[in-house]
Amino acid sequence: MQTISPNEMAMDLLGIVGEDALTTQPEALAEVAVDGLTPMAVVSPSTEEQAAACLKYANQRGLKVAVRGGGTHTGLGNSIAGLDVVISTTRLNAITEYSPADLMIGVQAGVKLADIQAELEKNNQFLPVEVPGGRPGATIGGAIAINASGPLRLVYGPARDWLIGVKFALADGTLAKGGGKVVKNVAGFDMMKLFIGSLGTLGLIHHMNFKLMPLPPAFATLMMAFESSEVACQTALKLIDAGLFPSALTVLDSAAAKELGLPESSATLLVEVRNTTKAVERQINDISALGRTEGASAVESAGDRAAQKKLWQTVTDFGYGQRGSQDCALKVSALPSKSAEVIATSQRLADKYGLEVACTSQAGHGLTWVAAGYTEDSAAAQFIKELTSWAEKYGGSVAAERVSLSLKPHLEDVWGAALTPGEFKLMRSVKQKLDPNQTLNPGRFVGKI
C-alpha cells in the first residue's frame, strides 16, 4: 500500500474531475463524515469515466472510498473501517431517457427520487420506489444501494423489482453493465441483481433503467381502530385472503398512532386501495364491512388525496424522526403471521430494559419497524440482541437500520445473523473478487464485509 499526503491526493484527483468538482474545505468534509470518520476530499464526477477514474486511482493508492448520494442513509450499516475519499453522485443527475409509451426511464444515480416522480406524474405514471426517511434528498442510486421499500411493497415489491438495467464502475475502474432497457433483456449472469442492496460495497452504480407503472386513477385510505395489535394484524391478513387487493396495509400500536397524530386507539390498521373509481368504491365498502365484522370500533376515511399522501409519507418515514437524545430504528423481518408477536415482543422487551418503543407493522409482508428511545447504550444493545435472538428463532431477522455511533460498538453486527455460514462465505467471495483491496465502504455490510 502506498502512502500519500492529502495535498498530493487532492492534486491528483483535481486532474481527474476538475477544480469545481473537488472539495477539501474542512466544513464541507465534516458534513460528509461517515461514522465519525472525515475524508480528506470529496469528488463529484460528472461522467461515468471520471467516476471510474476516481475509483481506479483510489484503488491503486490504497485509499478507502464511500459513495454518497443524498446522504439520507449515511449511518446505515456497521461502522466503516476507513475513509479517505467520498465520491458524490451530485453531478450525475440527468434523466437520460424517458419513453412514456414504453413505460421506461433511464436515470443517472444522483437524480433525486422526488424529481423523477414529478416528471413521471406529467404523464400519469410513477416509479413504485419508496425510501424510508429519505425525503426530500433521497437519490435513486441510494434507493437501489439499500434496496429500499415502504408500505407499497405489498403490491409492488421492493426497489429491485423495477430495475431492468444498470451501469456501474468497479473498484479497479472497470466500467460494466447488466440488464438493459426491456424486462427480458437478460443473458448470462445477472450482475444487475448483485449490486442491488449491496450498500456501495461492490462498485459505484452510475446509471439505471427502470420499468414504470401507470398512476391509478383513484385512491382511498381507511383508518380502522381495534382493541389490540393482534386483532388488527389478523384483520390485515384476512383482507388479503378475502381477495380485496389492498395496496398497503400497516398496523400501528398506540404509541405510533399518537406519534403520527392519529385518533387514540390500542391499535390502528391503515388500508390503502388504488384502482378505478368504481373498483375503489367497491373495495372500500367491502373492507369496511370486513373490518367491522372483525371488531373495528371505528372506520374512518383519511381524507382527500393530499391528506392521504401526507399520511402515508409519515408512515414510510416512521422511525427516522428524532425521538430524543438517544434513539434507534430497527427493521424486523418475520412471517406475516408473526407480525403481532413482533409488536408484543418489542413492547415486552422494552419494558424489561427501560426503553420506550413505538411500532408500525407492514403486516401484509412481514416487515415491522420498531422505533426505540433509551437512556443507556448498554440497555439498548441488550434490547436489540434479545429481540434479534427471538426473531431468528422463528426464521426472521433484525437489522438496526438507524443507530447512533456510540451504540454501534455494543452490537456485534447491526444486520444481526441475517445470513447462513454458506451465504456469508459466498458474499465474502464476491466482495473479494470485485473489490480485493477493500476499497469501497470497507466493513459496512453484513458480517462487516
Short mmCIF file of all heavy atoms in Angstrom, two decimals, residues 1-2 53-65 170-173 434-440:
data_model
loop_
_atom_site.label_atom_id
_atom_site.label_comp_id
_atom_site.label_asym_id
_atom_site.label_seq_id
_atom_site.Cartn_x
_atom_site.Cartn_y
_atom_site.Cartn_z
N MET A 1 0.84 -1.20 0.00
CA MET A 1 0.00 0.00 0.00
C MET A 1 0.87 1.25 0.00
O MET A 1 1.82 1.36 0.78
CB MET A 1 -0.92 0.01 1.23
CG MET A 1 -1.84 1.24 1.30
SD MET A 1 -2.88 1.22 2.79
CE MET A 1 -3.85 -0.25 2.51
N GLN A 2 0.52 2.15 -0.89
CA GLN A 2 1.28 3.38 -0.99
C GLN A 2 0.76 4.42 0.00
O GLN A 2 -0.41 4.45 0.31
CB GLN A 2 1.18 3.94 -2.41
CG GLN A 2 1.62 2.98 -3.51
CD GLN A 2 1.42 3.57 -4.88
OE1 GLN A 2 1.76 4.73 -5.10
NE2 GLN A 2 0.89 2.80 -5.80
N ALA A 53 -12.41 6.61 -13.11
CA ALA A 53 -11.02 7.03 -12.91
C ALA A 53 -10.73 7.33 -11.45
O ALA A 53 -9.63 7.02 -10.94
CB ALA A 53 -10.71 8.25 -13.78
N CYS A 54 -11.69 7.94 -10.76
CA CYS A 54 -11.52 8.21 -9.33
C CYS A 54 -11.38 6.92 -8.54
O CYS A 54 -10.52 6.80 -7.65
CB CYS A 54 -12.70 9.03 -8.80
SG CYS A 54 -12.75 10.74 -9.35
N LEU A 55 -12.22 5.95 -8.86
CA LEU A 55 -12.14 4.66 -8.17
C LEU A 55 -10.82 3.96 -8.47
O LEU A 55 -10.19 3.40 -7.56
CB LEU A 55 -13.31 3.77 -8.60
CG LEU A 55 -14.65 3.99 -7.90
CD1 LEU A 55 -15.72 3.08 -8.48
CD2 LEU A 55 -14.52 3.75 -6.39
N LYS A 56 -10.42 3.99 -9.71
CA LYS A 56 -9.16 3.33 -10.08
C LYS A 56 -7.99 3.95 -9.33
O LYS A 56 -7.11 3.23 -8.82
CB LYS A 56 -8.96 3.45 -11.60
CG LYS A 56 -7.70 2.76 -12.09
CD LYS A 56 -7.57 2.87 -13.61
CE LYS A 56 -6.31 2.17 -14.10
NZ LYS A 56 -6.20 2.22 -15.59
N TYR A 57 -7.99 5.27 -9.26
CA TYR A 57 -6.92 5.97 -8.55
C TYR A 57 -6.89 5.57 -7.07
O TYR A 57 -5.84 5.25 -6.51
CB TYR A 57 -7.10 7.47 -8.70
CG TYR A 57 -6.15 8.29 -7.85
CD1 TYR A 57 -4.84 8.50 -8.25
CD2 TYR A 57 -6.56 8.82 -6.62
CE1 TYR A 57 -3.96 9.23 -7.48
CE2 TYR A 57 -5.69 9.55 -5.84
CZ TYR A 57 -4.39 9.75 -6.27
OH TYR A 57 -3.52 10.46 -5.49
N ALA A 58 -8.07 5.61 -6.43
CA ALA A 58 -8.15 5.25 -5.01
C ALA A 58 -7.72 3.81 -4.78
O ALA A 58 -6.99 3.50 -3.82
CB ALA A 58 -9.57 5.47 -4.50
N ASN A 59 -8.15 2.93 -5.66
CA ASN A 59 -7.82 1.51 -5.53
C ASN A 59 -6.30 1.28 -5.65
O ASN A 59 -5.72 0.51 -4.89
CB ASN A 59 -8.55 0.72 -6.62
CG ASN A 59 -8.46 -0.78 -6.43
OD1 ASN A 59 -8.89 -1.32 -5.42
ND2 ASN A 59 -7.90 -1.45 -7.41
N GLN A 60 -5.67 1.97 -6.58
CA GLN A 60 -4.23 1.81 -6.77
C GLN A 60 -3.43 2.40 -5.61
O GLN A 60 -2.35 1.90 -5.29
CB GLN A 60 -3.80 2.48 -8.08
CG GLN A 60 -4.32 1.77 -9.33
CD GLN A 60 -3.96 2.51 -10.60
OE1 GLN A 60 -3.73 3.72 -10.60
NE2 GLN A 60 -3.91 1.79 -11.72
N ARG A 61 -3.97 3.44 -4.99
CA ARG A 61 -3.26 4.12 -3.91
C ARG A 61 -3.59 3.57 -2.52
O ARG A 61 -3.06 4.05 -1.51
CB ARG A 61 -3.62 5.61 -3.94
CG ARG A 61 -3.03 6.36 -5.12
CD ARG A 61 -1.54 6.57 -4.94
NE ARG A 61 -0.98 7.52 -5.87
CZ ARG A 61 0.21 8.10 -5.74
NH1 ARG A 61 0.94 7.82 -4.68
NH2 ARG A 61 0.65 8.94 -6.63
N GLY A 62 -4.47 2.58 -2.46
CA GLY A 62 -4.83 2.02 -1.17
C GLY A 62 -5.75 2.90 -0.35
O GLY A 62 -5.79 2.80 0.88
N LEU A 63 -6.50 3.78 -1.02
CA LEU A 63 -7.42 4.69 -0.34
C LEU A 63 -8.79 4.03 -0.15
O LEU A 63 -9.20 3.20 -0.96
CB LEU A 63 -7.57 5.99 -1.14
CG LEU A 63 -6.28 6.75 -1.44
CD1 LEU A 63 -6.55 7.93 -2.37
CD2 LEU A 63 -5.64 7.23 -0.14
N LYS A 64 -9.47 4.42 0.89
CA LYS A 64 -10.81 3.90 1.18
C LYS A 64 -11.86 4.91 0.72
O LYS A 64 -11.72 6.11 0.96
CB LYS A 64 -10.96 3.61 2.66
CG LYS A 64 -9.88 2.68 3.23
CD LYS A 64 -9.80 1.35 2.44
CE LYS A 64 -8.72 0.44 2.99
NZ LYS A 64 -8.57 -0.80 2.17
N VAL A 65 -12.91 4.38 0.10
CA VAL A 65 -13.90 5.23 -0.57
C VAL A 65 -15.30 4.92 -0.08
O VAL A 65 -15.67 3.75 0.09
CB VAL A 65 -13.84 5.03 -2.10
CG1 VAL A 65 -14.96 5.80 -2.79
CG2 VAL A 65 -12.49 5.45 -2.64
N LEU A 170 -16.41 -0.62 -11.30
CA LEU A 170 -15.81 -1.44 -10.26
C LEU A 170 -14.65 -0.70 -9.61
O LEU A 170 -14.19 0.34 -10.11
CB LEU A 170 -15.34 -2.77 -10.85
CG LEU A 170 -16.43 -3.68 -11.40
CD1 LEU A 170 -15.82 -4.92 -12.06
CD2 LEU A 170 -17.41 -4.09 -10.31
N ALA A 171 -14.15 -1.25 -8.52
CA ALA A 171 -13.09 -0.58 -7.77
C ALA A 171 -11.83 -0.36 -8.59
O ALA A 171 -11.10 0.62 -8.38
CB ALA A 171 -12.77 -1.37 -6.51
N ASP A 172 -11.57 -1.24 -9.55
CA ASP A 172 -10.35 -1.10 -10.35
C ASP A 172 -10.55 -0.18 -11.55
O ASP A 172 -9.66 -0.06 -12.40
CB ASP A 172 -9.85 -2.47 -10.81
CG ASP A 172 -10.81 -3.17 -11.76
OD1 ASP A 172 -11.89 -2.60 -12.07
OD2 ASP A 172 -10.49 -4.29 -12.21
N GLY A 173 -11.73 0.46 -11.64
CA GLY A 173 -12.01 1.38 -12.71
C GLY A 173 -12.71 0.78 -13.91
O GLY A 173 -13.03 1.49 -14.88
N LEU A 434 -14.55 -8.79 -6.59
CA LEU A 434 -14.83 -7.50 -7.21
C LEU A 434 -14.06 -6.34 -6.57
O LEU A 434 -13.83 -5.32 -7.22
CB LEU A 434 -16.34 -7.21 -7.16
CG LEU A 434 -17.24 -8.17 -7.93
CD1 LEU A 434 -18.69 -7.73 -7.83
CD2 LEU A 434 -16.81 -8.27 -9.38
N ASP A 435 -13.71 -6.48 -5.30
CA ASP A 435 -13.01 -5.40 -4.59
C ASP A 435 -11.97 -6.00 -3.66
O ASP A 435 -12.07 -5.91 -2.43
CB ASP A 435 -14.04 -4.57 -3.80
CG ASP A 435 -13.40 -3.37 -3.09
OD1 ASP A 435 -12.27 -2.98 -3.46
OD2 ASP A 435 -14.04 -2.83 -2.16
N PRO A 436 -10.94 -6.61 -4.22
CA PRO A 436 -9.95 -7.33 -3.40
C PRO A 436 -9.18 -6.43 -2.44
O PRO A 436 -8.68 -6.91 -1.42
CB PRO A 436 -9.02 -7.96 -4.44
CG PRO A 436 -9.19 -7.12 -5.68
CD PRO A 436 -10.63 -6.70 -5.66
N ASN A 437 -9.06 -5.15 -2.76
CA ASN A 437 -8.31 -4.24 -1.89
C ASN A 437 -9.18 -3.59 -0.82
O ASN A 437 -8.70 -2.72 -0.08
CB ASN A 437 -7.64 -3.15 -2.73
CG ASN A 437 -6.55 -3.69 -3.63
OD1 ASN A 437 -6.00 -4.75 -3.38
ND2 ASN A 437 -6.26 -2.96 -4.70
N GLN A 438 -10.45 -4.01 -0.74
CA GLN A 438 -11.38 -3.44 0.25
C GLN A 438 -11.44 -1.92 0.13
O GLN A 438 -11.39 -1.19 1.13
CB GLN A 438 -10.96 -3.84 1.66
CG GLN A 438 -10.89 -5.34 1.89
CD GLN A 438 -12.26 -6.00 1.89
OE1 GLN A 438 -13.15 -5.60 2.61
NE2 GLN A 438 -12.44 -7.00 1.05
N THR A 439 -11.55 -1.44 -1.09
CA THR A 439 -11.58 -0.01 -1.34
C THR A 439 -12.92 0.62 -1.00
O THR A 439 -12.98 1.72 -0.44
CB THR A 439 -11.25 0.26 -2.83
OG1 THR A 439 -9.93 -0.22 -3.12
CG2 THR A 439 -11.32 1.75 -3.15
N LEU A 440 -14.00 -0.07 -1.31
CA LEU A 440 -15.34 0.50 -1.21
C LEU A 440 -16.04 0.16 0.10
O LEU A 440 -16.26 -1.02 0.42
CB LEU A 440 -16.20 0.02 -2.38
CG LEU A 440 -15.86 0.66 -3.74
CD1 LEU A 440 -16.30 -0.25 -4.88
CD2 LEU A 440 -16.54 2.01 -3.85
#
